[in-house]
Amino acid sequence: MEKKFSEQFSSLHELFKAYRKSERCLAAFNVNDNYDLKAVVEAANEMNTHVMVMTYPPVADLITPQVFAKMVEGMRLNAHNKVFLHLDHSTSVDQCKAAIDAGYDSVMIDGSQQPLEENIKMTKEVVEYAKSANVVVEAEIGKILGRGVEVKSDDDFLASVADVTQLYKEANPDIVAVGIGTAHGFTPQEPKIHFGRLGEIADAIPAPLVLHGGTGIPDKDIQKSISMGMSKINIGTIVHTTYMQEALKRMNEAGENAYPPFIMNEVVPLIKDVVVDRLKAVNFEYELSV
Ligand code: 13P
């Protein structure tokens, strides 16, 4: 096995910086409960890689950041490498603070729907709060398409280099999600990634960048993005749709005899297979090593 995390990096901040320099990427999966969390940890063990799990705000609201952090702490007992916990797409400064207090490793403050000044103000506040806890802060600029995100003109979603630079300089987030044409969820057509803009942004700021909308991005585009500065990729929809559809199928078959552990015993390995498949796409040059 490769060196342990602590022998390679002093913190998650350092991991991201090193990954940006060496054109590597941390795969981050949206999870919802102990079952898909277990599937992600087992997949990361099989691939011998560090991994990140992320809770969307409704998951954090339902389960609470405290309980989810404890669940991840418990699941780490079975992990061979690092399992980082992140709050994804929170539009609330207070929710970010609560996640930091609960022990999350990383939080995203998503001010992308706000005017730039407001986005900078929100990001700054979370960055300040996160500092003493040594928690990574992700900001967003531009828009990730899909799921009701409103786009006012053709390329309104595209992160502008000037805005990215201003946000980075003034708010100083650790990692930055940039709108470059990807979308959340399954899309009717392949997303058209604006690699030209990605290149300009990567030249303008040294921060590790984050690729959102990981479901449905062709492997070759994922890999090209990584070589251009994407150091974290978010993958969600393929995980929860596999979970829900496979569980539903089995619940329908079992009818009134449906019993959670029997159903989930069959569903967890299927979620794991999907996660392994995506880890292979992301860690394409680093299979079987952290
Ligand atoms: P997908 O649901 O398209 O995989 O995107 C996930 C994501 O970007 C979460 O932030």
Side-chain angles (χ1 to χ4, degrees):
M1 198 196 280
E2 288 263 315
K3 282 191 208 159
K4 286 271 165 229
F5 173 84
S6 57
E7 295 167 34
Q8 295 178 291
F9 314 107
S10 57
S11 64
L12 180 59
H13 296 80
E14 295 306 316
L15 175 144
F16 277 128
K17 282 186 201 158
Y19 274 20
R20 164 90 207 248
K21 277 204 190 108
S22 57
E23 297 175 8
R24 290 194 57 181
C25 187
L26 183 68
F29 296 92
N30 294 102
V31 292
N32 302 282
D33 58 25
N34 55 316
Y35 293 117
D36 48 13
L37 172 59
K38 177 178 162 69
V40 172
V41 172
E42 288 179 0
N45 281 349
E46 188 170 315
M47 294 300 295
N48 194 16
T49 185
H50 303 309
V51 78
M52 182 173 262
V53 291
M54 309 185 289
T55 55
Y56 271 127
V59 177
D61 284 341
L62 183 65
I63 301 186
T64 75
Q66 291 84 348
V67 172
F68 216 99
K70 288 286 175 202
M71 269 164 53
V72 171
E73 200 180 305
M75 214 55 86
R76 284 180 182 132
L77 296 173
N78 301 321
H80 299 166
N81 295 291
K82 278 282 182 185
V83 179
F84 299 103
L85 175 60
H86 174 85
L87 175 67
D88 198 24
H89 280 292
S90 182
T91 53
S92 154
V93 170
D94 287 343
Q95 190 181 41
C96 288
K97 290 182 178 175
I100 292 167
D101 291 345
Y104 276 49
D105 302 290
S106 173
V107 296
M108 174 184 195
I109 178 71
D110 180 355
S112 62
Q113 304 278 350
Q114 306 298 326
L116 182 63
E117 281 64 36
E118 181 59 22
N119 189 354
I120 290 173
K121 186 167 161 271
M122 293 161 74
T123 305
K124 237 177 172 170
E125 192 175 341
V126 176
V127 168
E128 274 307 308
Y129 196 84
K131 235 178 231 159
S132 58
N134 212 18
V135 167
V136 165
V137 178
E138 176 177 336
E140 176 170 323
I141 192 105
K143 296 186 176 102
I144 315 302
L145 300 169
R147 297 219 184 105
V149 168
E150 279 180 35
V151 177
K152 296 186 190 78
S153 60
D154 274 0
D155 62 357
D156 163 49
F157 64 88
L158 209 51
S160 106
V161 180
D163 288 358
V164 174
T165 309
Q166 191 179 341
L167 174 114
Y168 181 67
K169 283 206 176 124
E170 292 184 22
N172 211 12
D174 301 292
I175 56 178
V176 185
V178 287
I180 52 163
T182 59
H184 286 128
F186 291 113
T187 47
Q189 282 123 18
E190 263 184 24
K192 187 181 167 310
I193 302 188
H194 293 245
F195 286 107
R197 181 57 55 88
L198 172 57
E200 289 165 0
I201 293 169
D203 283 346
I205 63 164
L209 303 174
V210 184
L211 183 62
H212 278 245
T215 299
I217 304 179
D219 291 4
K220 65 171 181 7
D221 286 352
I222 290 179
Q223 293 161 6
K224 185 170 174 184
S225 307
I226 294 172
S227 74
M228 295 181 71
M230 290 295 191
S231 312
K232 171 173 177 268
I233 178 171
N234 288 8
I235 301 166
T237 302
I238 191 70
V239 175
H240 76 244
T241 49
T242 303
Y243 180 167
M244 291 290 103
Q245 285 168 11
E246 297 295 344
L248 181 64
K249 220 188 289 169
R250 282 159 183 78
M251 282 191 275
N252 282 334
E253 280 161 16
E256 61 185 20
N257 295 321
Y259 182 49
F262 293 169
I263 304 263
M264 293 316 299
N265 218 13
E266 292 182 13
V267 173
V268 168
L270 301 174
I271 305 172
K272 187 192 95 174
D273 288 348
V274 164
V275 175
V276 164
D277 177 67
R278 292 301 76 207
L279 283 171
K280 283 183 178 162
V282 176
N283 290 10
F284 59 110
E285 282 178 342
Y286 296 91
E287 256 179 61
L288 302 178
S289 75
V290 295

